[in-house]
Amino acid sequence: MDAEVSAPETPDPGTAYRPHLRIIERGHVSSVGDGVVWIEGLPSARMDGIVKLSDGSAALVFHLAPGRLGAILLNATSALMAGGEARLSDEILTIPTGEALLGRVLDPLGAPLDGLPQPQCSGRRPIDGESPPIVARDFVDRPLYTGSKVVDTLIPIGRGQRQLLIGDNGSGKSALALDAIIGQRDQNVRCLYVLIGQKRSSVV
């Protein structure tokens, strides 16, 4: 932890210069590997806080332990290595939102993976935002047909209703979900396909 003497960035010309102490925590990167950076020297870090690294990288705190913390790299540069400086940030993790995201292939932070320009979004929201309450949601009063005759005959599904696909690997869960998405063509239904914990090759 360091103590710095600083002045306001834009001092009022009518006031005299008055130096004051500003306490800033400075940590250092102890190790980097598999998308995780381990940092020592930031005792005030909190879960889900953003850590800024000296090379321009940013990381999200996910593990707190005595003397060190673990953070998931949100972006990394080629200059990232052990021994670099780390500082806490007051930012929270947000993602872009808006109609411009429809039809795009993006990573969890909104960066394009389809080779197209960055989408011009209308706003940003916290990535851990709360779901709308039940009273704020619309009634489920219209059917949603998956295109599978067996499913549509045995299981009535409504638009806005949650359904869970359970099965072993290779049983066709993803194929059924993709077929249901393809079946919504020209039905005025917006479909979003989310891959969680998948490799980039699987996304392609």
Side-chain angles (χ1 to χ4, degrees), residues 79-94:
L80 177 61
M81 63 181 63
E85 182 181 298
R87 292 192 181 191
L88 294 177
S89 170
D90 295 332
E91 302 176 11
I92 61 174
L93 186 58
T94 60

Side-chain angles (χ1 to χ4, degrees), residues 59-120:
L60 179 69
V61 178
F62 79 99
H63 176 78
L64 296 175
R68 72 170 187 167
L69 59 89
I72 302 172
L73 284 170
L74 302 177
N75 57 62
T77 68
S78 57
L80 177 61
M81 63 181 63
E85 182 181 298
R87 292 192 181 191
L88 294 177
S89 170
D90 295 332
E91 302 176 11
I92 61 174
L93 186 58
T94 60
I95 55 175
T97 58
E99 298 286 335
L101 298 179
L102 296 176
R104 300 295 303 274
V105 182
L106 309 167
D107 68 6
L109 300 180
L113 299 177
D114 49 12
L116 298 178
Q118 180 74 30
Q120 300 299 318

Side-chain angles (χ1 to χ4, degrees), residues 4-28:
E4 297 183 356
V5 178
S6 63
E9 296 181 358
T10 55
D12 187 352
T15 61
Y17 171 77
R18 291 180 298 177
H20 63 278
L21 288 176
R22 181 177 59 183
I23 306 300
I24 298 178
E25 290 183 2
R26 286 181 178 173
H28 67 275

Side-chain angles (χ1 to χ4, degrees), residues 143-158 176 179-180 183-184:
L144 178 72
Y145 298 108
T146 65
S148 173
K149 293 183 179 179
V150 175
V151 174
D152 294 336
T153 301
L154 298 178
I155 307 173
I157 302 175
L176 177 61
D179 288 343
Q184 307 312 311

